[in-house]
Amino acid sequence: SQPCSMLPIIAIAFSWTGDTWAEPQGLPAGHNGGVKERLTTPAGGRRPHILMILFDDYGWADAGWHRNYTAPGGEFLPATPEVATPHLDALVREGIELDRHYVYKYCSPSRSALQSGRNPYHVNPLNAEPTISNPDDPVSGFQGIPRNMTGLATKLAAAGYRTAGFGKWDAGMATPDHTPHGRGYQTALNYFHHCNDYWSFTDGGCPVPYSGGDKVPIVDLWKAGGGAGEGR
């Protein structure tokens, strides 16, 4: 089976030192239930560009800086031509590596946790199919982040940032509130499912009537914001 893939996303954390309230900008009317967000003045009056990239299901030894290297515990990992990540290696040398940073073992709980700022068990502990729903629970009866939780991109949009997310979403798709656009991303190009084909962006398929089990692959690639051509 294919490994689940990666998603570049935007994220920020605020520290509470004031009581400024603002509405998210550049998003549909009623976004976030019409709730204003509590914000603070950025440190030093600056709003730096923020880029966060999430790789899920990425092995420890799949990173170049973990090759030709003795791991904690004494195991030596030799260099290999199959693992070459020079740009990431440079970022690690210039920055900080959190080498004891633990996350959930599945993709959707990890993504839901990062988007909402909550422990997976308090937002989405199940790596369920995006199509499941429970009509008796309109708030949390769907896969992904419950509808009453605010996402990081909504905070950014309220602070005046232009927000964009690209790649794998896997944090809900049952209603417009669950989508990247509904979670504060003014522009998004994404797919919703767990393990799409990397080249065709297909996942699963719709049964063909009277075919004996044949299926037509579904193209799962969606655009929100940024002008014409939304949806797929």
Side-chain angles (χ1 to χ4, degrees):
S1 61
Q2 285 200 52
C4 297
S5 61
M6 50 199 166
L7 165 68
I9 57 176
I10 309 279
I12 192 172
F14 292 90
S15 52
W16 306 123
T17 59
D19 286 313
T20 301
W21 296 80
E23 292 183 0
Q25 302 298 308
L27 294 162
H31 173 80
N32 203 39
V35 176
K36 293 185 177 181
E37 294 299 322
R38 187 181 183 190
L39 305 172
T40 62
T41 301
R46 297 182 299 111
R47 286 190 299 207
H49 297 301
I50 301 163
L51 173 66
M52 180 174 286
I53 303 174
L54 169 64
F55 298 80
D56 65 26
D57 301 346
Y58 191 63
W60 174 272
D62 292 332
W65 64 95
H66 289 157
R67 289 292 184 166
N68 196 26
Y69 161 90
T70 300
E75 181 180 358
F76 179 73
L77 300 174
T80 170
E82 295 177 349
V83 178
T85 55
H87 298 295
L88 293 175
D89 297 354
L91 288 173
V92 171
R93 287 194 299 269
E94 297 170 4
I96 299 174
E97 179 187 8
L98 304 177
D99 60 1
R100 295 181 64 84
H101 185 76
Y102 298 101
V103 298
Y104 206 77
K105 62 181 178 179
Y106 292 125
C107 42
S108 186
S110 295
R111 294 167 183 280
S112 298
L114 186 61
Q115 295 286 347
S116 65
R118 299 168 183 255
N119 186 290
Y121 275 98
H122 298 297
V123 54
N124 173 27
L126 301 176
N127 202 50
E129 286 299 311
T131 51
I132 69 166
S133 65
N134 176 9
D136 294 329
D137 183 356
V139 174
S140 56
F142 311 95
Q143 186 265 357
I145 304 171
R147 299 172 80 176
N148 62 341
M149 293 185 182
T150 300
L152 293 173
T154 292
K155 290 284 189 183
L156 285 166
Y161 274 86
R162 288 180 293 178
T163 56
F166 306 97
K168 178 181 175 181
W169 177 244
D170 203 9
M173 59 170 278
T175 73
D177 294 339
H178 289 88
T179 66
H181 209 38
R183 290 294 178 193
Y185 290 96
Q186 297 154 344
T187 303
L189 181 65
N190 66 279
Y191 60 92
F192 288 113
H193 285 258
H194 299 309
C195 300
N196 290 34
D197 183 277
Y198 293 155
W199 301 104
S200 66
F201 292 98
T202 56
D203 179 82
C206 289
V208 178
Y210 312 111
S211 68
D214 292 343
K215 292 184 177 181
V216 176
I218 301 170
V219 176
D220 174 23
L221 182 64
W222 304 86
K223 177 183 177 182
E230 297 189 17
R232 173 65 173 165

